[in-house]
């Protein structure tokens, strides 16, 4: 795992469901999440699925666009 990146798994499990809390700086780490919360200064500034946030105009979409441009 990269420096500064943390993975925390909370053990709420049932027969067919697992809950995990992932705290990450890498966009790829949250790409498979059902729900993403974007924080700034300890406050939630965005909340949605990765697809919803990437399709929007918020900070998550801006970060994703800059990341994609860096690959070109």
């Amino acid at each position: 795992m990269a420096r500064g990146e943390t993975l925390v798994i909370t053990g709420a499990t049932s027969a067919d469901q697992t809950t995990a809390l992932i705290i990450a700086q890498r966009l790829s780490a949250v790409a498979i999440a059902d729900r993403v919360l974007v924080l700034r200064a300890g406050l939630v500034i965005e909340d949605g699925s990765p697809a919803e946030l990437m399709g929007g105009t918020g900070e998550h979409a801006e970060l994703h666009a800059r990341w994609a441009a860096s690959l070109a």
Side-chain angles (χ1 to χ4, degrees):
M1 205 167 289
R3 191 176 125 201
E5 187 171 340
T6 305
L7 172 65
V8 179
I9 300 178
T10 58
T13 60
S14 66
D16 62 346
Q17 191 174 25
T18 300
T19 299
L21 171 63
I22 302 170
I23 302 169
Q25 294 178 326
R26 290 183 178 180
L27 293 174
S28 61
V30 297
I32 63 168
D34 294 325
R35 181 177 178 197
V36 176
L37 301 174
V38 180
L39 304 175
R40 175 178 278 173
L43 301 174
V44 175
I45 60 170
E46 294 182 57
D47 179 357
S49 71
E52 291 169 338
L53 296 180
M54 283 188 287
T57 59
E59 189 156 330
H60 188 274
E62 181 182 326
L63 288 170
H64 189 271
R66 288 195 321 227
W67 169 76
S70 75
L71 299 177

